[in-house]
Amino acid sequence: MRKIIYGPPGTGKTYYLMNELEKILEKVEPSKIGYFTFSRNGAQEGKNRAMDKFNLTEKDLPYFRTLHSFCFNILGLKKENVMQEKDYKDLGRDLQIEFEGVRYDHDHEGILHSKDPYISLISLARNKRISPLDLYNQNGYSYNLTYDKLDIISKELHQYKKQKGLIDYIDMLEKFLDKGESPKFEVIFIDEAQDLSLIQWDIVKKLEKSSKRSIIAGDDDQAIYKWNGADAESFINLEGEKVILQQSYRVPKNIFNVANNIIKKVKNRVEKNWIPKEDLGKVNYHWEIDKVDLSKGEWLILARTNLFLEKIAYYLDQNGFFFQRRNSTPRVQNIYSLIENWNKLKEGTPIHYNDYKKITNKMSKNVDLKLMKHMSKENFYDIDTLKEKYGLKTDDEWYVAFDDLGDDEIRKIQKLIKNGEDLSKDPRIKISTIHGVKGNERDNVILLTDLSNAAYYKYLDNPDDEHRLFYVGVTRAKKELNIIYAKTERGYDI
């Protein structure tokens, strides 16, 4: 028996799944439940909810995982068996080719990021369950590579893994399909189903054969990982009992209207009649980002590609706005924690050795590091003791004391503080590509509509992918959406 849950933006899909999970946990052993997601964060959320509600431990929930992690554990693999970025560099050195920037997404284990078109195509083909050469023959006009070179790299990559005893994330899935044995489940949950590739759908089919029932959730309108092999059509064509979550608790009416006009353009989709929240919300259009007042509130600034985010980051820096890229911690935030501890010292509050040691990393002439070896790593120290016994030579303001900080960095922090930014908290402005922010939301969103050359030609060839992507971008906004017109004719028209 299969139940399919369609969750439009902000309709509480995760909340619905957690309630279903709680009902089932009242009757079913946790070890008989599989909860599988596309992302680590999604799997961890389900696991945390189950542990909190039913006083369980992680050991009680062995099958709350991403599909890759599940296959990894079932097959008894070890981390040292998995291809890493350095392995691609080694392979490239052997082939006298530089494979630039090959890395796996931390949250989405199956996504391989690479600037090298050959590695990207090989990964995409395997996710689609076809050979790289067959994919090349189907779409050769759209790839700036050659057939012979693709054939060589594909074979050499396979041989390298075989010689080194290594596997990649797609190998994990292939090996489980080939010889892995699925546990017997009472029920399996599959979340974020619109993002699954064909090979992952084959895993789901195998799991369903070992389970009495399945609950599969997602939203085909938010399928934005086609470039990685995601097959939204498999989710669209799924048969079973269908439930559409209708009430959005995020998207206000005016923003809903913009989103609805976008998604109606998609040809192949499941029709969903969902309802915005009562608030009207605001939709504004601008030619330049400097027309938006960023001085207060929480913001999400979204662009199609990282190329356009560089200009945004420069603008924010120049104007003294505190921001972060995706989930990275800004360097100034780490420095500010040192400033706070330094101010505590100056005010007479002792600080721990570890905190003091971090402060000295920002000093050169203002501390004698040799005397620190006499300090106890367990103790707290006040500023007078540090000056008298342990080599501290200053009690000046931080921007003088931290003499290893560059002038630009000092000016940047001073400007942020003068602008009233609270550097002790997470930045109130976040910038990201639309792909990098799915699942997030903010009161205020700025959406750039510029497209790179490659994205623009893909848009002309297959507009549905861009419609879905900008639909996701628009529906991150809870109160206000600011749309920035493209600087050239190569933009997405909202």
Side-chain angles (χ1 to χ4, degrees):
M1 184 172 70
R2 178 193 291 150
K3 180 188 279 190
I4 308 163
I5 314 298
Y6 300 96
T11 54
K13 173 174 64 68
T14 301
Y15 182 80
Y16 182 95
L17 290 179
M18 292 300 102
N19 284 340
E20 290 288 298
L21 176 61
E22 286 180 10
K23 292 175 190 173
I24 291 167
L25 276 167
E26 290 173 357
K27 303 174 184 176
V28 176
E29 285 283 325
S31 61
K32 295 293 184 182
I33 300 172
Y35 192 95
F36 304 108
T37 67
F38 180 65
S39 68
R40 286 184 180 180
N41 285 339
Q44 192 61 47
E45 186 173 2
K47 188 183 293 185
N48 290 342
R49 181 77 173 261
M51 289 191 297
D52 292 344
K53 181 74 175 180
F54 294 95
N55 196 28
L56 301 171
T57 67
E58 292 215 10
K59 288 183 179 180
D60 297 321
L61 303 167
Y63 306 119
F64 281 55
R65 299 179 173 275
T66 64
L67 289 172
H68 289 90
S69 174
F70 168 76
C71 294
F72 180 90
N73 279 275
I74 287 291
L75 296 168
L77 300 172
K78 298 178 180 178
K79 288 183 179 179
E80 53 264 33
N81 300 136
V82 182
M83 283 279 287
Q84 303 294 331
E85 183 176 345
K86 65 178 180 62
D87 294 301
Y88 287 97
K89 288 182 179 178
D90 290 345
L91 173 63
R93 201 158 36 243
D94 292 344
L95 296 174
Q96 297 185 326
I97 300 170
E98 184 177 355
F99 294 134
E100 188 180 355
V102 180
R103 63 177 179 84
Y104 285 101
D105 191 296
H106 176 73
D107 188 34
H108 304 95
E109 293 172 328
I111 293 183
L112 179 71
H113 296 281
S114 175
K115 294 180 182 179
D116 183 87
Y118 291 94
I119 295 296
S120 296
L121 187 144
I122 291 167
S123 176
L124 176 61
R126 295 178 65 210
N127 270 317
K128 286 175 167 287
R129 302 286 271 162
I130 60 175
S131 76
L133 297 179
D134 285 343
L135 181 60
Y136 176 89
N137 287 330
Q138 290 175 16
N139 301 285
Y141 62 89
S142 65
Y143 295 109
N144 185 25
L145 37 72
T146 65
Y147 183 96
D148 291 340
K149 188 173 179 180
L150 175 64
D151 188 27
I152 291 169
I153 292 175
S154 180
K155 288 176 179 176
E156 290 294 332
L157 174 59
H158 177 77
Q159 190 62 27
Y160 179 90
K161 289 187 293 183
K162 187 176 179 180
Q163 288 177 346
K164 301 284 186 179
L166 296 172
I167 61 167
D168 57 30
Y169 282 98
I170 302 175
D171 289 324
M172 297 177 197
L173 306 183
E174 290 176 343
K175 288 180 181 297
F176 175 74
L177 288 171
D178 183 40
K179 59 183 180 181
E181 187 172 337
S182 173
K184 299 296 181 184
F185 294 110
E186 287 289 323
V187 59
I188 60 167
F189 289 79
I190 307 292
D191 195 10
E192 305 167 305
Q194 77 280 346
D195 295 327
L196 301 182
S197 64
L198 279 172
I199 190 170
Q200 289 171 319
W201 277 111
D202 285 345
I203 299 288
V204 171
K205 291 173 188 175
K206 184 167 181 173
L207 292 173
E208 282 190 310
K209 289 178 181 177
S210 297
S211 180
K212 293 180 180 178
R213 54 188 287 227
S214 61
I215 299 173
I216 301 180
D219 181 10
D220 55 290
D221 292 337
Q222 298 184 69
I224 61 173
Y225 288 102
K226 185 176 179 180
W227 57 272
N228 189 58
D231 189 69
E233 283 71 23
S234 291
F235 184 55
I236 292 169
N237 297 329
L238 215 56
E239 295 184 356
E241 176 192 352
K242 298 184 179 182
V243 176
I244 297 176
L245 305 180
Q246 294 184 314
Q247 179 63 59
S248 179
Y249 303 96
R250 177 201 303 159
V251 184
K253 290 179 180 178
N254 287 332
I255 295 172
F256 167 83
N257 291 335
V258 174
N260 218 23
N261 287 336
I262 292 172
I263 207 62
K264 281 180 179 178
K265 299 174 186 176
V266 174
K267 297 182 181 68
N268 185 26
R269 59 183 290 262
V270 176
E271 188 67 36
K272 307 169 199 71
N273 294 316
W274 57 287
I275 306 166
K277 63 182 184 181
E278 281 300 311
D279 299 348
L280 287 175
K282 290 183 180 179
V283 179
N284 307 309
Y285 290 82
H286 310 276
W287 284 107
E288 299 289 345
I289 193 173
D290 62 9
K291 303 303 181 186
V292 183
D293 182 5
L294 290 167
S295 62
K296 56 187 176 182
E298 293 194 340
W299 293 84
L300 199 54
I301 303 178
L302 302 176
R304 175 61 174 83
T305 59
N306 281 307
L307 171 69
F308 303 110
L309 290 179
E310 292 304 320
K311 295 178 181 178
I312 297 299
Y314 179 79
Y315 170 79
L316 296 174
D317 260 337
Q318 292 300 301
N319 288 276
F321 293 120
F322 188 33
F323 72 96
Q324 73 179 135
R325 296 172 183 266
R326 204 172 175 185
N327 297 316
S328 61
T329 301
R331 176 174 161 79
V332 294
Q333 192 171 23
N334 291 327
I335 296 172
Y336 188 71
S337 68
L338 305 182
I339 295 172
E340 288 186 308
N341 282 327
W342 178 251
N343 288 337
K344 287 179 185 177
L345 261 183
K346 282 169 56 64
E347 292 164 3
T349 303
I351 65 171
H352 192 272
Y353 168 86
N354 290 338
D355 292 324
Y356 176 65
K357 187 174 187 301
K358 291 175 185 176
I359 286 173
T360 61
N361 289 335
K362 301 303 175 188
M363 295 179 173
S364 54
K365 296 178 181 178
N366 285 333
V367 66
D368 184 348
L369 296 176
K370 294 177 182 177
L371 296 178
M372 283 185 66
K373 64 184 180 180
H374 302 299
M375 296 174 69
S376 168
K377 294 182 180 180
E378 308 301 323
N379 285 356
F380 287 75
Y381 296 89
D382 60 42
I383 195 164
D384 291 335
T385 303
L386 291 169
K387 289 176 70 177
E388 289 170 13
K389 297 182 178 180
Y390 302 115
L392 182 63
K393 301 177 182 179
T394 181
D395 56 7
D396 277 322
E397 296 298 325
W398 68 269
Y399 47 84
V400 178
F402 294 4
D403 57 342
D404 209 35
L405 277 183
D407 290 342
D408 287 344
E409 206 151 31
I410 290 171
R411 281 193 291 269
K412 180 177 180 178
I413 294 170
Q414 288 176 324
K415 191 171 187 177
L416 289 167
I417 294 171
K418 184 179 179 181
N419 280 359
E421 296 285 4
D422 189 347
L423 305 188
S424 66
K425 297 179 180 178
D426 288 337
R428 58 187 185 81
I429 300 173
K430 181 176 181 179
I431 69 173
S432 174
T433 63
I434 305 173
H435 284 106
V437 84
K438 195 159 138 309
N440 288 328
E441 58 184 33
R442 284 281 172 105
D443 285 348
N444 309 293
V445 169
I446 295 175
L447 182 62
L448 279 66
T449 55
D450 300 89
L451 298 176
S452 65
N453 287 344
Y456 179 71
Y457 288 119
K458 286 180 182 177
Y459 175 37
L460 296 180
D461 183 53
N462 183 8
D464 283 1
D465 292 341
E466 294 303 314
H467 294 328
R468 288 187 172 112
L469 187 63
F470 278 88
Y471 175 78
V472 167
V474 164
T475 55
R476 300 310 93 194
K478 295 164 65 177
K479 291 183 179 179
E480 182 177 313
L481 173 66
N482 292 274
I483 296 168
I484 308 297
Y485 294 116
K487 301 297 180 292
T488 70
E489 72 280 1
R490 294 179 179 177
Y492 183 81
D493 185 20
I494 297 183

